[in-house]
Amino acid sequence: AQPRQKVRARRGQATDPHSIAERLRRERIAERMKALQELVPNANKTDKASMLDEIIDYVKFLQVQVK
């Protein structure tokens, strides 16, 4: 077995598999948050909690409209 070569990370980027997986998870969340933001009119908040509150309110509004 050959010794594993150490991969040198760029500044600010880890090479640990857990760190890489976590970064990919955060990127997927950010993409989906952006997609949700595009679906909801006037959802222009930048922090996730406020944006999710607006989206929840909008979905509830739509549910009332359907009934």
Side-chain angles (χ1 to χ4, degrees):
Q2 295 180 354
R4 276 181 47 175
Q5 277 188 321
K6 281 196 155 194
V7 177
R8 185 151 174 105
R10 288 183 288 184
R11 184 179 184 115
Q13 288 195 333
T15 58
D16 175 54
H18 177 74
S19 298
I20 293 170
E22 181 63 23
R23 184 169 60 242
L24 291 174
R25 185 186 74 82
R26 286 192 310 268
E27 288 172 1
R28 284 196 317 270
I29 290 170
E31 288 171 5
R32 284 159 178 80
M33 292 292 285
K34 186 169 277 221
L36 271 174
Q37 196 171 18
E38 291 173 2
L39 290 173
V40 177
N42 302 321
N44 51 13
K45 303 283 184 182
T46 54
D47 68 294
K48 291 178 185 170
S50 297
M51 194 170 77
L52 286 171
D53 282 339
E54 284 191 19
I55 292 167
I56 290 168
D57 290 342
Y58 184 66
V59 170
K60 286 179 181 178
F61 167 76
L62 291 176
Q63 288 177 327
V64 169
Q65 296 295 317
V66 169
K67 290 182 181 179

